[in-house]
Structures are given as C-alpha cells and as structure tokens.
Amino acid sequence: MISFARREESETPPRSEGVVGRISREDSRSLTETITQNVSDGILMVTASGRITSANPPACLMFAITYPPQSGEIVGQTLLEATHLKVLSDLCQSARESADVYEAEVRRLGRNEGLIRARAVPLFSDAGDATGDVLLILTDLSELDRLRTVRTEFVANVSHELRTPLASIRATAETLLTGALEDPEYSHRFLQTIMREADRLVRLSEDLLELSRAEAGQRERGRFDLCELTAEVVARLMGLAERRNVSLKFFPPETISLMVRADRSQIDQVIFNLIDNAVKYTPTNGDVKVRLNLNDNGHAVLSVKDTGIGILSQDLPRIFERFWRADRARKFQSGEDGIHTGGTGLGLSIVKRIIEAHGGTVAAASELGQGSQFTVTLPLASDEESIGSERFVTP
C-alpha cells in the first residue's frame, strides 16, 4: 500500500507566480525545453486526461527507453501504459483533484530496478485556475537506496562480529568468577581464551580503521620498487609459514625492477593480506607461490597461488565483500580442521579498495579443494615522475 505525502503549505513553492507561470506569460517554450533537457531529474508532462505529452532524457532512461522516444513510446501513452506503475497515475490524480503537490517514493522493478521519488505538481493558468495538467518530477534515488542498504548491512555485520568475541569474554569471565579462578589449570586456559578473543577485537578494530582509510582515499604516494617490497613481506611471513609447515616461495622477475608510484604502506597491506590468507588457508605440507612479472600492457602483475582449501565457484563473486566468508573458510577459521586462522572478513575488501584506488585491478580464481590464485595489477611509475613522495587525496 503506497501512501502519498501531501506537501505542507510552508513547503509548497508559489504556484501561479512561480517559474512555470512566468515562462507561460513570456511564451518561452525554448527556454522550458532547455531546462527540462538539462536537469538530472526525470520530467513528464501529463495532461488532464492522463496522457504524457513530453518526456525529457532522464525520464526516458529511468524506463529503459531511448531518447528521443520512437512514435508511440511514452509520448501519447497514458502514465500506466508507459511506466507500468499505477502508483504514479494515482499520485497525479491526487495532485489533480486537490490542486496541491503530492509526493511518494516508488520502487520500479525489472531490468531498471531502483527507487524513485515522484513529485506531482499541478499546473495553473495565468488566471490561477487549475488546468488539470500535472508536471511529474522523478528523482532517481537508486544509488542512495543502495548506500542505505550497504550501511545497514555494514552496521549489522559489525554488530555480529563484535557480539561473538564479547559473548565469549563475558562467559569466560563469569566462569572464572564462579570458582574456576581458584583452579590454576582451568584459570590459565580461560585467561588464554579471553586474550584470544581480545586479540580478535583488536584485529577487527584495526581492519575497520584500515578499510576506512582506504575508502577515504588519503594516500602518501611515493616511488618504490615493488619487487623489494614484496620480498620484505614474504620474509615477514616466512616464520608463519614454517610454523604451519607450509612452503612459501617468491619468484621475482629475473632482470628488471618494477617501480610503482603508490602508497607504500597500503600496497604493503595488500601484499601482506594476500600472502597471509594463502598461508593460513593452506593445510600442512601445502605450497604458496608468489610471483611478480610485467604484463603486455606495461603493468606490474603480482600473483599469489596456494594449494589451500579453495573456494566454491558460486562464492567467488562475493569474496571481496565486507565481512563475507565462505562456509568452508568459516569452518577452517573456527579451528574445526585443527587450525585457527583468526580472520575478520575484511582483508580482501581492503585489498580491493586499495588496488582500485591506485588504478589497478584484483581478480581471483579458485577450484574447491585445489587452491586459489589472486592476481593484482598495478600501473608502473612513469620516468617523468619524481622520486620524492607527496600527499595525494582523491576527490
């Protein structure tokens, strides 16, 4: 059931003295056409009989119609025939009968699915009488609606990720308070649980801050050798690989250095996240191979290939979403396979946003039970770019 919002008197702009009235008196049809052709909102002129007499380009785009429309498309049709949205016809009828402005948010379905704010404005003659014609203004809220959904899901996901370790800490603390604290064996085990869950909360907060910085677009760009940085990250993670009995090898390009101009700390984060994931999700006696090359487009190509648990094909499109983890990854992470990985579900989302902000790409290929390969491309620094770093903020 759609409810129409009638604008309050204080919100309604003057009618007969407004722009529409002045244009009518000045007979400025060309000016009217110029305005309607260049505004971002969709505009439909609807007669008293309910038929459309004009439609601007954004209005056509909203309903998947090429502009200018062909004969019989939109113009000449009723509002219901053209849009298949009865709510718009009812909205115009309400504005026509009350001689007042009415608004409603309307969701369109089909291939152009999205949210529209529709505003029906009745038109008046120079004498101030309602003509029955209605100007229908359509504002596309699809992107705003998507962002609202993303925000809602993000808050729900953060709440969920916080609830689990906090509940574990609370339950463990209560157990200690009820007597387990006096037993050295049990108290030590429970305190380890509290420390592990606290570390998980710290990692989550750090990843959230890193994701926020990546999406904010603030970067300290400088020129550096990607081969050198990759070798440093591999060396830092060699100890983790050895503890897990996983073979970690780096294959740099044989004769060239790969100079890029980017935020070194953020690219470090990207390389670390990819290799860290590969090592953690590879079972004992598995292999992780890191390769760095130059492709035909003159871009640096970093690939991280493992022999880990792999990813289902239907899960691949979602792996870069925030907080998303496949069921097998959750099982592996929880320690059911004998190993705790301790991820937050934000690592790959951070990778994607950092790489795309630097003009690169990231892709994944995987086969369940056979392993995964993540490939990152980054443009090389041009010879003209200075060696010094500078502050860079994306708009």
Side-chain angles (χ1 to χ4, degrees), residues 58-66 73 108 111-112:
C60 292
L61 181 63
M62 286 182 189
F63 300 103
I65 295 174
T66 304
E73 285 187 320
R108 64 182 190 272
R111 58 177 178 171
N112 271 26

Side-chain angles (χ1 to χ4, degrees), residues 91-358:
L91 188 70
C92 287
Q93 186 62 28
S94 297
R96 192 177 291 119
E97 292 175 352
S98 66
D100 207 344
V101 178
Y102 273 77
E103 289 184 353
E105 288 192 355
V106 182
R107 188 168 295 279
R108 64 182 190 272
L109 303 176
R111 58 177 178 171
N112 271 26
E113 182 178 355
L115 187 67
I116 299 173
R117 179 189 292 128
R119 180 180 302 158
V121 182
L123 301 183
F124 298 84
S125 66
D126 291 343
D129 299 322
T131 64
D133 296 340
V134 174
L135 186 70
L136 186 61
I137 304 170
L138 306 172
T139 304
D140 194 341
L141 302 178
S142 300
E143 180 63 14
L144 180 61
D145 186 48
R146 185 189 70 81
L147 292 175
R148 287 173 182 165
T149 302
V150 169
R151 182 181 62 184
T152 301
E153 292 177 350
F154 180 72
V155 171
N157 285 329
V158 170
S159 299
H160 174 76
E161 294 293 331
L162 289 173
R163 187 184 301 117
T164 303
L166 288 174
S168 177
I169 291 172
R170 180 186 178 91
T172 305
E174 288 176 347
T175 303
L176 288 171
L177 288 173
T178 55
L181 188 60
E182 306 303 325
D183 187 317
E185 180 182 350
Y186 283 102
S187 63
H188 180 71
R189 185 188 307 170
F190 287 142
L191 287 173
Q192 284 183 323
T193 299
I194 291 175
M195 286 295 297
R196 184 171 62 250
E197 297 298 343
D199 288 341
R200 182 178 172 185
L201 289 173
V202 170
R203 287 194 299 272
L204 177 60
S205 64
E206 289 174 346
D207 279 355
L208 285 171
L209 288 173
E210 188 64 38
L211 182 63
S212 176
R213 283 193 290 266
E215 292 183 337
Q218 293 188 345
R219 297 181 293 281
E220 295 281 354
R221 292 208 177 197
R223 184 183 172 106
F224 60 90
D225 187 351
L226 189 60
C227 297
E228 179 184 302
L229 178 60
T230 304
E232 291 176 6
V233 176
V234 169
R236 294 208 309 268
L237 286 166
M238 195 62 72
L240 174 65
E242 290 174 352
R243 289 194 299 274
R244 292 177 178 271
N245 201 18
V246 171
S247 172
L248 174 58
K249 295 180 180 180
F250 175 41
F251 301 88
E254 294 181 358
T255 58
I256 59 172
S257 63
L258 299 177
M259 303 300 296
V260 296
R261 183 173 176 274
D263 187 311
R264 184 184 175 95
S265 65
Q266 289 193 345
I267 301 304
D268 182 297
Q269 181 77 45
V270 166
I271 301 171
F272 185 92
N273 283 1
L274 292 178
I275 301 177
D276 184 61
N277 275 354
V279 172
K280 287 180 176 178
Y281 288 103
T282 297
T284 300
N285 297 322
D287 296 311
V288 175
K289 296 178 181 179
V290 182
R291 299 182 186 274
L292 199 54
N293 290 296
L294 188 67
N295 67 11
D296 295 336
N297 296 324
H299 287 187
V301 180
L302 171 72
S303 69
V304 179
K305 186 175 182 179
D306 63 59
T307 58
I309 61 176
I311 304 167
L312 288 169
S313 57
Q314 62 264 34
D315 291 338
L316 274 175
R318 301 194 61 191
I319 60 175
F320 294 104
E321 294 179 14
R322 290 177 292 193
F323 294 111
W324 194 88
R325 290 190 293 273
D327 290 339
R328 278 178 60 82
R330 290 183 184 276
K331 178 181 177 182
F332 203 78
Q333 181 191 42
S334 67
E336 292 179 34
D337 292 346
I339 298 175
H340 291 274
T341 63
T344 63
L346 290 172
L348 290 179
S349 181
I350 293 171
V351 166
K352 181 178 174 65
R353 279 155 180 79
I354 290 176
I355 291 300
E356 290 182 347
H358 283 82

